[in-house]
Amino acid sequence: MSGSGTRPTAHGLLPADTTQDVRTRGADLARQVAVLPVGSFEQHGPFLPLATDTLVACAIARRIADAYPVHLLPPVTISCSHEHAAWPGTVSISSVTLHAVVRDIADSLRRSGVEALVVVNGHGGNYVLGNVVQEASARGERLALFPAAEDWQTALDTAGVRTSPLTDMHAGEIETSLLLHAHPEMVRAGYESADFVADDRRHLLTTGMSAYTESGVIGRPSLGSAEKGEKLLNSLVDSFGAYFSLLTSEGSELSELPESGRA
């Protein structure tokens, strides 16, 4: 039986640090910070790969690691994609499993001397990650979820993205731009004519995505560009500074944050 031909692969998603690299990088910090990209393995229409959310989370995390002395972790590549189950190739785990995986990773990091963890989420359906961070913070642990909605909005404004997060829900201008910049070899022809808008999705969690789109696209990928993708990443890296300051400070009060990190 023959295979389906050559398949594109994304290289460089796994960090190449040694244990000494991690020790040296955190030597001058009040506490070390690890960054965990969490993506998904779900349909993104006919032109973006199933691994899109993982590629996006890794691109953000990699840029953060280039700019800040953090411990970059390998990605969690399968998460909560149940709303995309109607499309072949989509794989999900339960929210309970994802919650346990992230909590176990945070516990393991603390045992090895890395006290703080930032979860870089690339998939909007991973609602449980907010609960993981809330519960950990209540226990006195140092966790954060990035990017927040405000970080994304700042990035969209900075990059000149024309669609809103509501309209550009899946495989649209934002994700297409990020992959055109970070992994152009993974973007297939057809995104230029794949726009589809479905802003009223109030029954999404009940019906799944297939009730709103046949192609799997909700957004305007035709507006995507590598230039916008680069500007999105640059803005998110800037926004991360407030998170890094909070997690590495001796205290944890908002008064210690730079102005850009305050509500």
Side-chain angles (χ1 to χ4, degrees), residues 166 198-208 211-212 218:
L166 172 65
D199 284 353
D200 188 342
R201 303 183 298 272
R202 69 188 71 190
H203 303 300
L204 175 67
L205 296 182
T206 301
T207 64
Y212 295 95
I218 295 179

Side-chain angles (χ1 to χ4, degrees), residues 75-153:
V76 175
T77 58
I78 296 177
S79 60
C80 302
S81 301
H82 306 89
E83 70 273 27
H84 300 278
W87 282 271
T90 297
V91 183
S92 290
I93 58 177
S94 72
S95 60
V96 173
T97 300
L98 183 57
H99 188 295
V101 167
V102 175
R103 181 170 178 179
D104 282 356
I105 289 171
D107 289 346
S108 177
L109 285 166
R110 284 193 299 276
R111 287 193 295 272
S112 66
V114 181
E115 297 179 53
L117 174 65
V118 179
V119 179
V120 175
N121 182 31
H123 172 47
N126 289 336
Y127 312 112
V128 71
L129 294 177
N131 299 118
V132 176
V133 172
Q134 284 180 321
E135 294 165 13
S137 298
R139 293 191 297 268
E141 301 164 12
R142 295 212 173 205
L143 266 74
L145 183 60
F146 183 82
E150 295 85 351
D151 303 315
W152 274 118
Q153 190 58 59

